[in-house]
Coordinates of all heavy atoms in Angstrom, one line a residue:
V1 N 0.8 -1.2 0.0 CA 0.0 0.0 0.0 C 0.9 1.2 0.0 O 2.0 1.2 0.5 CB -1.0 0.0 1.2 CG1 -2.0 -1.1 1.2 CG2 -0.2 0.0 2.5
F2 N 0.3 2.3 -0.6 CA 1.0 3.6 -0.5 C 0.1 4.5 0.4 O -1.1 4.6 0.2 CB 1.1 4.2 -1.9 CG 1.8 5.6 -1.9 CD1 3.1 5.7 -1.6 CD2 1.1 6.7 -2.3 CE1 3.7 6.9 -1.6 CE2 1.7 8.0 -2.3 CZ 3.0 8.1 -2.0
V3 N 0.8 5.1 1.4 CA 0.0 5.8 2.4 C 0.6 7.2 2.6 O 1.8 7.4 2.8 CB 0.1 5.1 3.8 CG1 -0.8 5.8 4.8 CG2 -0.3 3.6 3.7
L4 N -0.2 8.2 2.4 CA 0.2 9.6 2.6 C -0.7 10.2 3.8 O -1.9 10.0 3.8 CB -0.1 10.5 1.4 CG 0.8 10.3 0.2 CD1 0.3 11.1 -1.0 CD2 2.3 10.7 0.5
V5 N -0.1 11.0 4.6 CA -0.8 11.8 5.6 C -0.8 13.2 5.1 O 0.3 13.9 4.9 CB -0.1 11.7 7.0 CG1 -1.0 12.5 8.0 CG2 0.0 10.3 7.4
R6 N -2.0 13.8 4.9 CA -2.1 15.2 4.4 C -2.8 16.0 5.5 O -3.7 15.5 6.2 CB -3.0 15.2 3.1 CG -2.4 14.5 1.9 CD -1.0 15.1 1.5 NE -1.1 16.6 1.4 CZ -1.5 17.3 0.4 NH1 -1.9 16.7 -0.7 NH2 -1.5 18.6 0.4
G7 N -2.4 17.2 5.6 CA -3.0 18.1 6.6 C -2.7 17.7 8.0 O -3.6 17.8 8.9
E8 N -1.6 17.1 8.3 CA -1.3 16.5 9.6 C -1.4 17.5 10.7 O -0.9 18.6 10.6 CB 0.1 15.8 9.6 CG 0.4 15.0 10.8 CD 1.6 14.1 10.7 OE1 2.4 14.4 9.7 OE2 1.8 13.2 11.5
G9 N -2.1 17.1 11.8 CA -2.2 18.0 12.9 C -3.3 19.0 12.8 O -3.5 19.8 13.8
T10 N -4.1 19.0 11.7 CA -5.2 19.9 11.5 C -6.5 19.2 11.8 O -6.5 18.0 11.8 CB -5.2 20.6 10.1 OG1 -5.5 19.6 9.2 CG2 -3.8 21.1 9.8
A11 N -7.6 19.9 11.8 CA -8.9 19.3 12.0 C -9.3 18.5 10.8 O -10.2 17.6 10.9 CB -9.9 20.4 12.3
D12 N -8.7 18.7 9.7 CA -9.1 18.0 8.4 C -8.0 17.0 8.0 O -7.9 16.6 6.8 CB -9.3 19.1 7.3 CG -10.1 18.5 6.2 OD1 -11.0 17.7 6.5 OD2 -9.9 18.8 5.0
E13 N -7.2 16.6 9.0 CA -6.1 15.6 8.6 C -6.7 14.4 8.0 O -7.8 13.8 8.4 CB -5.4 15.2 9.9 CG -4.3 14.1 9.7 CD -3.6 13.7 10.9 OE1 -3.4 14.6 11.8 OE2 -3.3 12.5 11.1
L14 N -6.1 13.9 6.9 CA -6.5 12.7 6.2 C -5.3 11.7 6.0 O -4.2 12.2 5.7 CB -7.1 13.0 4.8 CG -8.4 13.8 4.8 CD1 -8.8 14.2 3.4 CD2 -9.5 13.0 5.4
V15 N -5.6 10.5 6.2 CA -4.6 9.4 5.9 C -5.1 8.7 4.6 O -6.2 8.1 4.6 CB -4.5 8.4 7.0 CG1 -3.5 7.3 6.7 CG2 -4.2 9.1 8.3
C16 N -4.3 8.9 3.5 CA -4.8 8.4 2.2 C -4.0 7.1 1.8 O -2.8 7.1 1.8 CB -4.5 9.5 1.1 SG -5.2 11.1 1.5
V17 N -4.8 6.1 1.7 CA -4.3 4.7 1.5 C -4.7 4.2 0.1 O -5.8 4.2 -0.3 CB -4.8 3.8 2.6 CG1 -4.2 2.4 2.4 CG2 -4.5 4.4 4.0
T18 N -3.7 3.6 -0.6 CA -4.0 3.0 -1.9 C -3.3 1.6 -1.9 O -2.1 1.5 -1.7 CB -3.5 3.8 -3.1 OG1 -4.1 5.1 -3.0 CG2 -3.8 3.1 -4.4
N19 N -4.1 0.6 -2.3 CA -3.6 -0.8 -2.4 C -3.3 -1.0 -3.9 O -4.1 -0.9 -4.8 CB -4.8 -1.7 -2.0 CG -4.4 -3.2 -2.1 OD1 -3.3 -3.5 -2.5 ND2 -5.3 -4.1 -1.7
V20 N -2.0 -1.4 -4.1 CA -1.5 -1.6 -5.5 C -1.6 -3.0 -5.9 O -1.0 -3.4 -7.0 CB -0.1 -0.9 -5.7 CG1 -0.1 0.5 -5.4 CG2 0.9 -1.7 -4.9
T21 N -2.2 -3.9 -5.1 CA -2.3 -5.3 -5.4 C -3.7 -5.8 -5.5 O -4.6 -5.1 -5.2 CB -1.6 -6.1 -4.3 OG1 -2.5 -6.2 -3.2 CG2 -0.3 -5.5 -3.9
G22 N -3.8 -7.0 -6.0 CA -5.2 -7.6 -6.1 C -5.6 -8.4 -4.8 O -6.6 -9.1 -4.8
E23 N -4.8 -8.1 -3.7 CA -5.1 -8.8 -2.4 C -5.9 -7.9 -1.5 O -5.8 -6.7 -1.6 CB -3.8 -9.2 -1.7 CG -2.9 -10.0 -2.6 CD -1.5 -10.2 -2.0 OE1 -1.3 -9.7 -0.8 OE2 -0.6 -10.7 -2.6
E24 N -6.6 -8.5 -0.6 CA -7.3 -7.7 0.5 C -6.3 -7.5 1.6 O -5.6 -8.4 2.0 CB -8.5 -8.4 1.0 CG -9.3 -7.6 2.1 CD -10.5 -8.4 2.5 OE1 -11.6 -8.2 1.9 OE2 -10.4 -9.1 3.5
I25 N -6.2 -6.3 2.1 CA -5.1 -5.9 3.1 C -5.8 -5.2 4.3 O -6.6 -4.3 4.1 CB -4.1 -5.0 2.5 CG1 -3.4 -5.7 1.3 CG2 -3.0 -4.6 3.5 CD1 -2.4 -4.8 0.5
T26 N -5.5 -5.7 5.5 CA -6.0 -5.1 6.7 C -4.9 -4.3 7.4 O -3.7 -4.7 7.5 CB -6.5 -6.2 7.7 OG1 -7.5 -6.9 7.1 CG2 -7.0 -5.5 8.9
L27 N -5.2 -3.0 7.7 CA -4.2 -2.1 8.3 C -4.7 -1.6 9.6 O -5.9 -1.4 9.9 CB -4.0 -0.9 7.4 CG -3.4 -1.2 6.0 CD1 -3.5 0.0 5.1 CD2 -2.0 -1.8 6.1
P28 N -3.8 -1.3 10.6 CA -4.2 -0.9 11.9 C -4.5 0.6 11.9 O -3.9 1.4 12.6 CB -2.9 -1.2 12.8 CG -1.8 -1.0 11.8 CD -2.3 -1.5 10.5
L29 N -5.5 1.0 11.2 CA -6.0 2.3 11.1 C -7.5 2.4 11.3 O -8.2 1.4 11.0 CB -5.7 2.9 9.7 CG -4.3 3.0 9.2 CD1 -4.2 3.4 7.8 CD2 -3.5 4.1 10.1
S30 N -8.0 3.4 11.9 CA -9.4 3.6 12.1 C -9.8 5.0 11.8 O -9.1 5.9 12.0 CB -9.8 3.2 13.6 OG -9.2 4.1 14.5
G31 N -11.1 5.1 11.4 CA -11.6 6.4 11.0 C -12.7 6.3 10.0 O -13.1 5.2 9.6
T32 N -13.1 7.5 9.5 CA -14.1 7.5 8.5 C -13.5 7.8 7.1 O -12.8 8.8 6.9 CB -15.2 8.6 8.8 OG1 -15.7 8.3 10.1 CG2 -16.3 8.7 7.8
D33 N -13.9 7.0 6.1 CA -13.4 7.1 4.8 C -14.3 8.2 4.1 O -15.5 8.0 3.9 CB -13.5 5.8 4.0 CG -13.0 5.9 2.6 OD1 -12.6 7.0 2.2 OD2 -13.2 4.9 1.8
V34 N -13.7 9.4 3.8 CA -14.5 10.5 3.2 C -14.9 10.2 1.8 O -15.7 10.9 1.3 CB -13.7 11.8 3.4 CG1 -13.4 12.2 4.8 CG2 -12.4 11.8 2.5
V35 N -14.2 9.2 1.2 CA -14.6 8.8 -0.2 C -16.0 8.1 -0.2 O -16.8 8.4 -1.1 CB -13.6 8.0 -0.9 CG1 -14.0 7.6 -2.3 CG2 -12.2 8.7 -1.0
T36 N -16.2 7.2 0.8 CA -17.4 6.4 0.8 C -18.3 6.8 1.9 O -19.5 6.4 1.9 CB -17.0 4.9 1.0 OG1 -16.4 4.8 2.3 CG2 -16.1 4.4 -0.1
G37 N -17.8 7.5 2.9 CA -18.6 7.9 4.1 C -18.7 6.7 5.1 O -19.4 6.9 6.2
E38 N -18.0 5.6 4.9 CA -18.1 4.5 5.8 C -17.0 4.6 6.9 O -15.9 5.0 6.6 CB -17.9 3.2 5.0 CG -19.0 3.0 4.0 CD -18.8 1.7 3.2 OE1 -17.8 1.1 3.3 OE2 -19.7 1.4 2.3
H39 N -17.3 4.0 8.1 CA -16.3 4.0 9.2 C -15.6 2.7 9.1 O -16.1 1.6 8.8 CB -17.0 4.1 10.5 CG -16.1 4.3 11.7 ND1 -15.6 3.2 12.4 CD2 -15.4 5.3 12.2 CE1 -14.8 3.6 13.3 NE2 -14.6 4.9 13.2
A40 N -14.3 2.7 9.5 CA -13.5 1.5 9.4 C -12.7 1.4 10.7 O -12.1 2.4 11.2 CB -12.5 1.6 8.3
D41 N -12.6 0.2 11.3 CA -11.8 -0.1 12.5 C -11.7 -1.6 12.7 O -12.5 -2.2 13.2 CB -12.4 0.5 13.7 CG -11.5 0.4 15.0 OD1 -10.3 0.1 14.8 OD2 -12.0 0.6 16.1
P42 N -10.6 -2.2 12.1 CA -9.5 -1.6 11.4 C -9.9 -1.3 9.9 O -11.0 -1.7 9.5 CB -8.4 -2.7 11.5 CG -9.2 -3.9 11.5 CD -10.4 -3.6 12.3
L43 N -9.0 -0.7 9.2 CA -9.2 -0.4 7.8 C -8.9 -1.7 7.0 O -7.8 -2.2 7.0 CB -8.3 0.7 7.3 CG -8.4 1.1 5.8 CD1 -9.9 1.6 5.5 CD2 -7.4 2.1 5.4
V44 N -9.9 -2.1 6.2 CA -9.7 -3.2 5.2 C -9.8 -2.6 3.8 O -10.8 -2.1 3.5 CB -10.7 -4.3 5.5 CG1 -10.5 -5.4 4.4 CG2 -10.7 -4.9 6.9
V45 N -8.7 -2.8 3.1 CA -8.6 -2.3 1.7 C -8.7 -3.4 0.7 O -7.8 -4.3 0.8 CB -7.4 -1.4 1.5 CG1 -7.5 -0.6 0.2 CG2 -7.2 -0.4 2.7

């Protein structure tokens, strides 16, 4: 996965995650995906 943190330390901080494989990947991240509106804990991509 490629992971960028944008706006770190601000109220609008986002952790942007992209899976470059055909596999399902679970990551120790939690929060609301602003692309889909769904909550994840942990994040499954």
Side-chain angles (χ1 to χ4, degrees):
V1 296
F2 181 64
V3 185
L4 287 176
V5 182
R6 296 298 314 276
E8 189 167 16
T10 70
D12 200 34
E13 177 179 326
L14 294 174
V15 181
C16 305
V17 181
T18 301
N19 181 0
V20 300
T21 77
E23 306 170 8
E24 183 177 273
I25 300 172
T26 301
L27 299 170
L29 298 171
S30 64
T32 300
D33 180 4
V34 298
V35 177
T36 64
E38 297 177 357
H39 187 267
D41 186 14
L43 177 65
V44 179
V45 190

